[in-house]
DNA sequence: CCATTTATGCCACTGAGTGGCACAAGCCTG
DNA sequence: CAGGCTTGTGCCACTCAGTGGCATAAATGG
């Protein structure tokens, strides 16, 4: 923090101005999560939040599109990273022209399923995002908050939907498909979403129900990653599940 | 409309007061769809809409929970019906204890998959809802509106999510599953949702792009039903789709 | 040190959504 | 066809999210 401290081994050292922006953004997110968690999403006004962070409301809206947006930022970040990861993988695929060796994360047999390609991109995104200091804690708070805040659910679903839409454009540019209306990649994308949401819910439920967990009580992203894998694997079972009536007892 | 006209073969004749309510509701929906379609969702204020229908804003909110809600009402009605249909089918299933003959809509081999059970419930719901006079026209307007109105998308997704949640409770009460956290029924429910959304999009796209279609230009619900079947059938292909890179050219 | 860009603050404004209360219209008695 | 009772509606004032415009302050680059 001292002005004279030289950055030990920083990459290209981000332009000083950018730092402040990121710092305000992070502060907004953190105080928002704290306040919302403590007193409920609906009971905290933006004016309060802004006063707390000492930022004008106008400025808040230059960082986030809505009150819900700031509360969901940690979760949204994953999806942004996912989009990037997937784009990179698709480029690699097109370059080598071979699905099998383009993606090193799988020592698989034959060309990969799109769903698995997406899953791996998501896992990589998770890994990258979670590299940030205590992302998991924030993500947990974010998700817990969403569980009891309908408008956050709506906002989150919509965000995912938009991301899926963007991803679909990438896919249609990079893969051989049955025309621009082929529903299969969309289905795959939405299934991944389902799986991810379930993984997140399970992850959150497994952690202690502490409303403001200490850093130590927060489950790590490895557990989440494992749950994502499980969930994706379970998708096919969901499709094939037969309806066995329960005996009334 | 004449007071003395005797209802020819009306069932029990709904309590006169209820009629007015339904009429106001329908008027609100129709004028909302018209105004929104003509001038855009965001450019019509609730005050305008209410003035047009000659109803106070306070009253509006006794019928609908939000501005988005009224614009999506036709689509929401299907899901409400779906919930009812599914509940009925589950009851039938539990009563007979046999999946095969409980549901007459399918002359299938062996017990039915949950997905197909849900699909049939949705188709039945569609059928029932579309019995109302020009539901299809309204639904089409509703969907077209949603396509260019982000907040409507968010609201619609959230509504479906809630419905799915309610349905899951029914399922866990009626079916043999792997405990309360078994993700399979949830996956099935969300896949049906995906399929339905795709069907709706295709249906809407196939109809002429007329912003205010004449009744004759509106596709019927049979076409939508067919698309739902197709989409559900295509789900498995989405799951299994292999990522074949497109040759750059 | 100055000029340009870029982030922020301030202020006034729209419009969705809510709560409270008084009023009127349908509705069940006798 | 009173009477009270229930239920839906109108009106009013209020909160608060979100936006636009313009002046100002801070970083950047010469």
């Amino acid at each position: 923090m001292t002005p004279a401290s030289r950055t030990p081994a920083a990459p290209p050292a981000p332009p000083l101005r950018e730092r402040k922006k990121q710092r305000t953004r992070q502060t907004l997110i953190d105080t928002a999560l704290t306040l919302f968690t403590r007193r409920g999403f609906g009971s905290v006004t933006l004016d309060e939040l802004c006063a707390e962070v000492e930022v004008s409301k106008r400025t808040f809206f230059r960082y986030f599109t809505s009150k819900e947006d700031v509360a969901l930022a940690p979760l949204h970040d994953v999806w942004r990273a996912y989009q990037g990861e997937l784009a990179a993988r698709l480029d690699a695929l097109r370059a080598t022209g071979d699905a099998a060796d383009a993606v090193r994360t799988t020592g698989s047999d034959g060309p990969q399923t799109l769903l698995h390609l997406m899953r791996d991109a998501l896992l990589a995104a998770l890994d990258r995002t979670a590299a940030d200091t205590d992302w998991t804690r924030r993500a947990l708070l974010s998700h817990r908050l969403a569980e009891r805040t309908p408008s956050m659910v709506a906002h989150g679903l919509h965000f995912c939907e938009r991301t899926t839409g963007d991803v679909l454009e990438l896919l249609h540019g990079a893969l051989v498909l049955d025309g621009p209306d082929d529903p299969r990649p969309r289905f795959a994308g939405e299934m991944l979403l389902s799986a991810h949401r379930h993984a997140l819910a399970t992850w959150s439920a497994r952690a202690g129900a502490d409303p403001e967990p200490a850093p130590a009580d927060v489950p790590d992203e490895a557990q989440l990653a494992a749950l994502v894998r499980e969930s994706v694997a379970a998708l096919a079972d969901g499709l094939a599940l037969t309806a066995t009536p329960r005996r009334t007892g």
Side-chain angles (χ1 to χ4, degrees), chain A residues 136-144 147 198-221 223-224 227:
Chain A
T136 49
R137 197 194 104 260
R138 285 191 260 258
L140 191 60
L141 288 178
S142 207
H143 180 264
R144 293 255 167 97
E147 280 176 333
H198 180 257
L200 203 59
T202 311
W203 183 66
S204 161
R206 282 194 191 164
D210 188 350
E212 284 187 53
D217 292 341
V218 177
D220 65 11
E221 75 275 10
Q223 293 175 39
L224 181 53
L227 285 166

Side-chain angles (χ1 to χ4, degrees), chain A residues 80-146:
Chain A
R80 266 186 284 268
Y82 161 71
Q83 204 172 333
E85 287 289 338
L86 191 60
R89 274 144 213 266
L90 289 175
D91 280 351
L93 243 174
R94 288 180 73 172
T96 70
D98 177 30
D101 63 70
V103 182
R104 53 154 181 67
T105 33
T106 165
S108 63
D109 33 331
Q112 214 182 14
T113 263
L114 175 58
L115 179 65
H116 286 165
L117 184 69
M118 291 169 132
R119 179 202 59 186
D120 291 341
L122 177 58
L123 290 174
L126 215 55
D127 216 55
R128 239 179 52 190
T129 313
D132 263 352
T133 322
D134 78 357
W135 171 83
T136 49
R137 197 194 104 260
R138 285 191 260 258
L140 191 60
L141 288 178
S142 207
H143 180 264
R144 293 255 167 97
L145 225 27

Side-chain angles (χ1 to χ4, degrees), chain A residues 11-241:
Chain A
L16 172 61
R17 199 173 207 159
E18 200 62 21
R19 288 175 173 273
K20 292 193 95 174
K21 281 183 54 171
Q22 289 310 328
R23 204 168 56 74
T24 346
R25 184 186 136 93
Q26 218 34 281
T27 313
L28 277 169
I29 296 176
D30 282 330
T31 29
L33 288 176
T34 306
L35 290 180
F36 293 163
T37 300
R38 219 183 326 251
R39 300 178 13 223
F41 181 83
S43 307
V44 178
T45 68
L46 279 184
D47 291 318
E48 282 181 87
L49 171 59
C50 291
E52 188 75 22
V53 186
E54 292 182 294
V55 151
S56 82
K57 199 170 62 170
R58 200 68 190 77
T59 296
F60 172 90
F61 281 105
R62 288 191 187 98
Y63 284 90
F64 303 98
T65 66
S66 71
K67 198 182 171 185
E68 289 79 20
D69 193 33
V70 67
L72 285 168
L75 265 14
H76 288 177
D77 287 343
V78 186
W79 288 105
R80 266 186 284 268
Y82 161 71
Q83 204 172 333
E85 287 289 338
L86 191 60
R89 274 144 213 266
L90 289 175
D91 280 351
L93 243 174
R94 288 180 73 172
T96 70
D98 177 30
D101 63 70
V103 182
R104 53 154 181 67
T105 33
T106 165
S108 63
D109 33 331
Q112 214 182 14
T113 263
L114 175 58
L115 179 65
H116 286 165
L117 184 69
M118 291 169 132
R119 179 202 59 186
D120 291 341
L122 177 58
L123 290 174
L126 215 55
D127 216 55
R128 239 179 52 190
T129 313
D132 263 352
T133 322
D134 78 357
W135 171 83
T136 49
R137 197 194 104 260
R138 285 191 260 258
L140 191 60
L141 288 178
S142 207
H143 180 264
R144 293 255 167 97
L145 225 27
E147 280 176 333
R148 54 187 176 116
T149 311
S151 75
M152 279 180 65
V153 177
H155 192 275
L157 287 168
H158 182 232
F159 182 87
C160 290
E161 211 261 355
R162 283 204 304 119
T163 304
T164 300
D166 293 348
V167 160
L168 278 179
E169 285 190 20
L170 292 178
L171 294 178
H172 276 102
L175 299 181
V176 176
L177 297 169
D178 287 355
D181 293 332
D182 186 348
R184 296 174 301 165
R186 158 156 267 135
F187 290 157
E190 298 188 353
M191 287 181 193
L192 179 71
L193 226 81
S194 266
H196 174 256
R197 289 224 310 274
H198 180 257
L200 203 59
T202 311
W203 183 66
S204 161
R206 282 194 191 164
D210 188 350
E212 284 187 53
D217 292 341
V218 177
D220 65 11
E221 75 275 10
Q223 293 175 39
L224 181 53
L227 285 166
V228 168
R229 285 179 183 281
E230 280 176 39
S231 296
V232 169
L235 282 169
D237 299 334
L239 190 67
L241 177 62

